[in-house]
Amino acid sequence: MNERINVTRSSMPSFEEYCNEIKELWNSRILTNNGIKHQKFQKELEKLFGCENVVLYTNGHLALEGILSAFEFSKGSEVITTPFTFASTTQAIIRSGLTPVFCDINITDYTIDYLKIEELITDKTVAILPVNVYGNVCEFDKIEKIATKHNLKVIYDSAHAFNEKYNDLSVANYGNASMFSFHATKVFNTIEGGAVVFRDKHIKEKLESKKNFGISQNGEVEYVGGNSKMSEFQASMGICNLRHLDEEILKRKRVYERYFLNLKNIKGIHLNKIKEGLISNYAYFPVRFDGYKYTRDEIFEKLKDKNIFARKYFYPLTSDFSFCKQYKSNQLNNAKLVANTILTLPMFADLPIEKVDDICNIILN
Ligand SMILES: *Cc1c(COP(=O)(O)O)cnc(C)c1O
């Protein structure tokens, strides 16, 4: 049997590099609570994003809940969002006491269809929460225009879009806020981890306080915040992985280009083109099988038989999960079609080009 290939494989620095980074912690004995590594990592991200307002979290999901709570929307308010995402996006809305309202996606890059947003707006709507899915960026200008017109906040789930730039500006700088995930399976990881980047600097103190039980700098507890702090070990992993980020993305680009070359211009195989003006991070390689000689499920099985594990990502839609049945949506025709035909192929920096060819041969023959 061939060696198992998963859809993703975590990037890591060398063992020595990580050990070297965490060595100081054995002297300082400060393992969390905004220690030196946390501070350093946060500064490095602020530099990378080209902005001052970055707050770190122990994972991306809690980062999203953190930013939602900072806006203090009233309970039951509606948030227009996409069902073509990871369960986390929808759950963050519900756990924040808000109501998700699902909007269809477009068929080109699978982000929210901005033309269908306005029909969902009611007097309860407070925000739009789109996803920069697979690192494909949303129609930022169109969405933000709608938000301005109706006085809504825009919060992007940018879990897939780390280190991307659109029209020379970091993706982090669009909308009122953006969430990034540094989960082990993402382009860049801190083992578990996440961050929010936001426009209004006045909410920084609130976010910092809320991720640490609502304790403010004078020791008073103003908010019911809970605990979602990033530890020094996570931040150290981030510092190490940042050193290799450009190289990792370059390697992903090679994989992306090889897949594209092998699979382009084939009837029934739909690939994702990178939008003009976007500097991509090559996070995923999604393929839609629609009108091809094999269905998505058949391709999935064919690959599995060869010990290659692609992923039906995202299938089903979050709106089809049992926890979600009661929420409103518009016609989700595109979202349903994409969820039923999509497969993300193995994509990671160290995936050998010969393996990419093997995978494509299985799909094509
Ligand atoms: C990974 C992911 C999240 C959650 O991030 P975690 O760091 O795993 O908590 C949220 N949304 C999307 C689209 C994701 O892919």
Side-chain angles (χ1 to χ4, degrees), residues 58-64 84-90 131-134 157-160 179-186 191-194 284 313-314:
T58 193
N59 60 56
H61 178 83
L62 288 173
L64 194 53
F84 189 68
T85 185
F86 188 46
S88 166
T89 318
T90 309
V131 178
N132 291 317
V133 64
Y134 305 130
D157 178 334
S158 296
H160 295 178
M179 175 279 276
F180 294 91
S181 164
F182 308 143
H183 185 259
T185 56
K186 304 281 155 75
I191 311 168
E192 292 266 7
Y284 296 90
Y313 190 67
F314 295 100

Short mmCIF file of all heavy atoms in Angstrom, two decimals, residues 58-64 84-90 131-134 157-160 179-186 191-194 284 313-314, ligand 1:
data_model
loop_
_atom_site.label_atom_id
_atom_site.label_comp_id
_atom_site.label_asym_id
_atom_site.label_seq_id
_atom_site.Cartn_x
_atom_site.Cartn_y
_atom_site.Cartn_z
N THR A 58 -6.62 31.87 21.63
CA THR A 58 -6.18 30.48 21.69
C THR A 58 -6.69 29.66 20.50
O THR A 58 -6.18 28.59 20.22
CB THR A 58 -6.57 29.83 23.03
OG1 THR A 58 -5.85 28.61 23.16
CG2 THR A 58 -8.07 29.59 23.15
N ASN A 59 -7.70 30.16 19.82
CA ASN A 59 -8.10 29.55 18.54
C ASN A 59 -8.94 30.55 17.74
O ASN A 59 -9.37 31.59 18.27
CB ASN A 59 -8.84 28.22 18.74
CG ASN A 59 -10.10 28.36 19.56
OD1 ASN A 59 -10.97 29.15 19.22
ND2 ASN A 59 -10.19 27.62 20.64
N GLY A 60 -9.15 30.24 16.48
CA GLY A 60 -9.87 31.16 15.60
C GLY A 60 -11.34 31.28 15.97
O GLY A 60 -11.93 32.35 15.86
N HIS A 61 -11.91 30.17 16.40
CA HIS A 61 -13.33 30.20 16.75
C HIS A 61 -13.62 31.21 17.87
O HIS A 61 -14.54 32.02 17.78
CB HIS A 61 -13.82 28.81 17.15
CG HIS A 61 -15.25 28.82 17.56
ND1 HIS A 61 -16.27 28.77 16.65
CD2 HIS A 61 -15.82 28.97 18.77
CE1 HIS A 61 -17.42 28.86 17.30
NE2 HIS A 61 -17.18 28.98 18.58
N LEU A 62 -12.80 31.16 18.92
CA LEU A 62 -13.02 32.09 20.04
C LEU A 62 -12.67 33.52 19.64
O LEU A 62 -13.22 34.48 20.19
CB LEU A 62 -12.24 31.64 21.27
CG LEU A 62 -12.84 30.38 21.95
CD1 LEU A 62 -11.93 29.88 23.06
CD2 LEU A 62 -14.24 30.66 22.50
N ALA A 63 -11.78 33.67 18.68
CA ALA A 63 -11.49 35.01 18.14
C ALA A 63 -12.76 35.58 17.49
O ALA A 63 -13.12 36.74 17.70
CB ALA A 63 -10.35 34.93 17.12
N LEU A 64 -13.46 34.74 16.75
CA LEU A 64 -14.69 35.19 16.09
C LEU A 64 -15.77 35.52 17.12
O LEU A 64 -16.44 36.55 17.02
CB LEU A 64 -15.16 34.09 15.13
CG LEU A 64 -16.22 34.45 14.10
CD1 LEU A 64 -15.82 35.68 13.28
CD2 LEU A 64 -16.48 33.27 13.15
N PHE A 84 -21.87 28.06 3.23
CA PHE A 84 -20.78 27.28 2.65
C PHE A 84 -19.51 27.57 3.43
O PHE A 84 -18.65 28.35 3.01
CB PHE A 84 -20.61 27.60 1.16
CG PHE A 84 -19.64 26.68 0.47
CD1 PHE A 84 -19.94 25.33 0.30
CD2 PHE A 84 -18.41 27.14 0.01
CE1 PHE A 84 -19.05 24.46 -0.31
CE2 PHE A 84 -17.52 26.28 -0.60
CZ PHE A 84 -17.83 24.94 -0.77
N THR A 85 -19.43 26.98 4.60
CA THR A 85 -18.32 27.26 5.52
C THR A 85 -18.22 26.14 6.55
O THR A 85 -19.02 25.20 6.56
CB THR A 85 -18.52 28.62 6.21
OG1 THR A 85 -17.37 28.91 7.02
CG2 THR A 85 -19.77 28.64 7.10
N PHE A 86 -17.22 26.26 7.39
CA PHE A 86 -17.03 25.33 8.50
C PHE A 86 -18.07 25.65 9.58
O PHE A 86 -18.48 26.79 9.74
CB PHE A 86 -15.61 25.53 9.03
CG PHE A 86 -15.16 24.55 10.04
CD1 PHE A 86 -15.38 23.18 9.88
CD2 PHE A 86 -14.49 24.98 11.18
CE1 PHE A 86 -14.94 22.28 10.82
CE2 PHE A 86 -14.05 24.08 12.13
CZ PHE A 86 -14.28 22.72 11.96
N ALA A 87 -18.49 24.63 10.32
CA ALA A 87 -19.51 24.79 11.36
C ALA A 87 -19.19 25.94 12.31
O ALA A 87 -20.10 26.59 12.85
CB ALA A 87 -19.66 23.49 12.14
N SER A 88 -17.92 26.21 12.50
CA SER A 88 -17.47 27.26 13.41
C SER A 88 -18.13 28.62 13.13
O SER A 88 -18.56 29.31 14.07
CB SER A 88 -15.95 27.40 13.31
OG SER A 88 -15.49 28.58 13.91
N THR A 89 -18.18 29.03 11.88
CA THR A 89 -18.69 30.36 11.52
C THR A 89 -20.12 30.53 12.03
O THR A 89 -20.45 31.52 12.69
CB THR A 89 -18.68 30.55 9.99
OG1 THR A 89 -17.47 30.01 9.45
CG2 THR A 89 -18.82 32.00 9.60
N THR A 90 -20.96 29.54 11.70
CA THR A 90 -22.36 29.60 12.08
C THR A 90 -22.52 29.48 13.59
O THR A 90 -23.33 30.17 14.21
CB THR A 90 -23.12 28.47 11.36
OG1 THR A 90 -22.80 28.52 9.96
CG2 THR A 90 -24.62 28.60 11.55
N VAL A 131 -17.37 34.77 4.37
CA VAL A 131 -16.16 33.96 4.55
C VAL A 131 -15.28 34.09 3.31
O VAL A 131 -15.78 33.95 2.19
CB VAL A 131 -16.52 32.47 4.78
CG1 VAL A 131 -15.26 31.62 4.91
CG2 VAL A 131 -17.40 32.31 6.02
N ASN A 132 -14.01 34.38 3.52
CA ASN A 132 -13.06 34.38 2.40
C ASN A 132 -12.64 32.93 2.16
O ASN A 132 -11.52 32.52 2.45
CB ASN A 132 -11.88 35.29 2.73
CG ASN A 132 -12.28 36.75 2.77
OD1 ASN A 132 -13.02 37.21 1.91
ND2 ASN A 132 -11.81 37.47 3.78
N VAL A 133 -13.58 32.19 1.60
CA VAL A 133 -13.48 30.73 1.57
C VAL A 133 -12.37 30.26 0.62
O VAL A 133 -12.24 30.80 -0.48
CB VAL A 133 -14.86 30.12 1.24
CG1 VAL A 133 -15.34 30.50 -0.14
CG2 VAL A 133 -14.86 28.61 1.40
N TYR A 134 -11.59 29.30 1.05
CA TYR A 134 -10.40 28.78 0.33
C TYR A 134 -9.36 29.87 0.08
O TYR A 134 -8.48 29.71 -0.78
CB TYR A 134 -10.78 28.17 -1.03
CG TYR A 134 -11.82 27.10 -1.00
CD1 TYR A 134 -12.92 27.17 -1.86
CD2 TYR A 134 -11.71 26.00 -0.17
CE1 TYR A 134 -13.88 26.18 -1.88
CE2 TYR A 134 -12.67 25.00 -0.18
CZ TYR A 134 -13.76 25.10 -1.03
OH TYR A 134 -14.70 24.11 -1.05
N ASP A 157 -14.85 36.20 8.12
CA ASP A 157 -14.15 34.99 8.55
C ASP A 157 -13.05 34.78 7.53
O ASP A 157 -13.29 34.36 6.40
CB ASP A 157 -15.13 33.80 8.57
CG ASP A 157 -14.44 32.50 8.98
OD1 ASP A 157 -13.22 32.38 8.77
OD2 ASP A 157 -15.14 31.59 9.47
N SER A 158 -11.82 35.15 7.92
CA SER A 158 -10.66 35.04 7.03
C SER A 158 -9.77 33.89 7.45
O SER A 158 -8.55 33.92 7.22
CB SER A 158 -9.87 36.35 7.04
OG SER A 158 -10.64 37.40 6.52
N ALA A 159 -10.37 32.87 8.05
CA ALA A 159 -9.61 31.70 8.52
C ALA A 159 -8.72 31.12 7.42
O ALA A 159 -7.65 30.59 7.70
CB ALA A 159 -10.56 30.63 9.05
N HIS A 160 -9.16 31.25 6.16
CA HIS A 160 -8.41 30.67 5.05
C HIS A 160 -7.48 31.68 4.36
O HIS A 160 -6.81 31.32 3.40
CB HIS A 160 -9.38 30.15 3.97
CG HIS A 160 -10.24 29.03 4.41
ND1 HIS A 160 -11.19 28.47 3.59
CD2 HIS A 160 -10.31 28.34 5.58
CE1 HIS A 160 -11.83 27.49 4.23
NE2 HIS A 160 -11.31 27.41 5.44
N MET A 179 -11.28 37.78 11.10
CA MET A 179 -10.75 36.72 11.98
C MET A 179 -9.83 35.81 11.20
O MET A 179 -10.14 35.43 10.08
CB MET A 179 -11.92 35.91 12.55
CG MET A 179 -11.49 34.71 13.38
SD MET A 179 -11.01 33.23 12.44
CE MET A 179 -12.59 32.47 12.16
N PHE A 180 -8.70 35.46 11.81
CA PHE A 180 -7.78 34.50 11.21
C PHE A 180 -7.63 33.30 12.13
O PHE A 180 -7.62 33.45 13.36
CB PHE A 180 -6.40 35.13 10.98
CG PHE A 180 -6.45 36.22 9.95
CD1 PHE A 180 -6.68 37.53 10.33
CD2 PHE A 180 -6.31 35.93 8.60
CE1 PHE A 180 -6.76 38.54 9.38
CE2 PHE A 180 -6.39 36.93 7.65
CZ PHE A 180 -6.61 38.23 8.03
N SER A 181 -7.53 32.13 11.54
CA SER A 181 -7.28 30.92 12.31
C SER A 181 -5.85 30.45 12.09
O SER A 181 -5.37 30.42 10.95
CB SER A 181 -8.23 29.80 11.87
OG SER A 181 -7.75 28.55 12.34
N PHE A 182 -5.18 30.10 13.20
CA PHE A 182 -3.84 29.53 13.11
C PHE A 182 -3.88 28.07 13.55
O PHE A 182 -2.97 27.58 14.23
CB PHE A 182 -2.85 30.33 13.97
CG PHE A 182 -2.87 31.81 13.73
CD1 PHE A 182 -2.70 32.70 14.79
CD2 PHE A 182 -3.04 32.34 12.44
CE1 PHE A 182 -2.70 34.08 14.57
CE2 PHE A 182 -3.04 33.71 12.21
CZ PHE A 182 -2.88 34.59 13.29
N HIS A 183 -4.96 27.40 13.21
CA HIS A 183 -5.08 25.98 13.53
C HIS A 183 -4.03 25.17 12.77
O HIS A 183 -3.60 25.55 11.69
CB HIS A 183 -6.49 25.49 13.16
CG HIS A 183 -6.73 24.08 13.57
ND1 HIS A 183 -6.68 23.03 12.67
CD2 HIS A 183 -6.99 23.53 14.78
CE1 HIS A 183 -6.91 21.90 13.31
NE2 HIS A 183 -7.10 22.18 14.59
N ALA A 184 -3.64 24.05 13.35
CA ALA A 184 -2.58 23.20 12.79
C ALA A 184 -2.77 22.87 11.31
O ALA A 184 -1.80 22.66 10.59
CB ALA A 184 -2.49 21.92 13.61
N THR A 185 -4.01 22.82 10.86
CA THR A 185 -4.26 22.43 9.47
C THR A 185 -4.25 23.59 8.49
O THR A 185 -4.44 23.40 7.29
CB THR A 185 -5.65 21.76 9.36
OG1 THR A 185 -6.62 22.68 9.87
CG2 THR A 185 -5.71 20.47 10.14
N LYS A 186 -4.05 24.80 8.98
CA LYS A 186 -4.13 25.97 8.10
C LYS A 186 -2.76 26.29 7.48
O LYS A 186 -1.75 25.72 7.86
CB LYS A 186 -4.67 27.16 8.89
CG LYS A 186 -6.03 26.90 9.55
CD LYS A 186 -7.20 26.99 8.58
CE LYS A 186 -8.43 26.23 8.93
NZ LYS A 186 -9.32 26.67 9.95
N ILE A 191 -0.16 25.89 16.32
CA ILE A 191 -0.71 24.64 16.85
C ILE A 191 -2.24 24.78 16.87
O ILE A 191 -2.93 24.25 16.02
CB ILE A 191 -0.16 24.25 18.23
CG1 ILE A 191 1.38 24.36 18.23
CG2 ILE A 191 -0.61 22.83 18.62
CD1 ILE A 191 2.04 24.28 19.58
N GLU A 192 -2.76 25.45 17.89
CA GLU A 192 -4.10 26.03 17.89
C GLU A 192 -3.86 27.53 18.01
O GLU A 192 -2.90 27.95 18.65
CB GLU A 192 -4.92 25.56 19.10
CG GLU A 192 -5.30 24.10 19.12
CD GLU A 192 -6.68 23.82 18.51
OE1 GLU A 192 -7.30 24.75 17.96
OE2 GLU A 192 -7.11 22.65 18.60
N GLY A 193 -4.74 28.32 17.45
CA GLY A 193 -4.54 29.75 17.62
C GLY A 193 -5.38 30.55 16.66
O GLY A 193 -5.97 30.00 15.72
N GLY A 194 -5.47 31.84 16.94
CA GLY A 194 -6.23 32.71 16.05
C GLY A 194 -6.01 34.16 16.42
O GLY A 194 -5.36 34.47 17.42
N TYR A 284 -5.92 26.09 -0.45
CA TYR A 284 -6.64 24.84 -0.79
C TYR A 284 -6.62 24.65 -2.30
O TYR A 284 -6.39 25.60 -3.05
CB TYR A 284 -8.10 24.93 -0.32
CG TYR A 284 -8.22 25.03 1.18
CD1 TYR A 284 -8.22 26.28 1.81
CD2 TYR A 284 -8.30 23.88 1.97
CE1 TYR A 284 -8.30 26.37 3.20
CE2 TYR A 284 -8.39 23.98 3.35
CZ TYR A 284 -8.38 25.22 3.95
OH TYR A 284 -8.45 25.31 5.32
N TYR A 313 -15.28 19.25 1.31
CA TYR A 313 -15.13 20.43 2.16
C TYR A 313 -15.59 21.62 1.37
O TYR A 313 -14.95 21.96 0.38
CB TYR A 313 -13.65 20.53 2.49
CG TYR A 313 -13.19 21.51 3.52
CD1 TYR A 313 -13.53 21.36 4.86
CD2 TYR A 313 -12.36 22.56 3.15
CE1 TYR A 313 -13.04 22.25 5.80
CE2 TYR A 313 -11.88 23.44 4.09
CZ TYR A 313 -12.21 23.28 5.41
OH TYR A 313 -11.72 24.15 6.36
N PHE A 314 -16.76 22.20 1.54
CA PHE A 314 -17.66 22.00 2.67
C PHE A 314 -18.90 21.24 2.24
O PHE A 314 -19.64 21.72 1.38
CB PHE A 314 -18.07 23.34 3.25
CG PHE A 314 -16.92 24.08 3.84
CD1 PHE A 314 -16.29 25.09 3.14
CD2 PHE A 314 -16.44 23.75 5.10
CE1 PHE A 314 -15.21 25.77 3.69
CE2 PHE A 314 -15.38 24.43 5.66
CZ PHE A 314 -14.76 25.44 4.95
C1 LIG B 1 -10.63 26.65 10.77
C2 LIG B 1 -11.81 27.51 10.57
C3 LIG B 1 -12.44 28.17 11.64
C4 LIG B 1 -12.11 27.92 13.08
O1 LIG B 1 -10.81 28.18 13.42
P1 LIG B 1 -10.13 27.37 14.64
O2 LIG B 1 -8.81 28.03 14.78
O3 LIG B 1 -10.05 25.94 14.24
O4 LIG B 1 -10.98 27.57 15.85
C5 LIG B 1 -13.49 29.03 11.34
N1 LIG B 1 -13.90 29.23 10.09
C6 LIG B 1 -13.33 28.59 9.04
C7 LIG B 1 -13.84 28.87 7.66
C8 LIG B 1 -12.28 27.70 9.25
O5 LIG B 1 -11.77 27.03 8.22
#
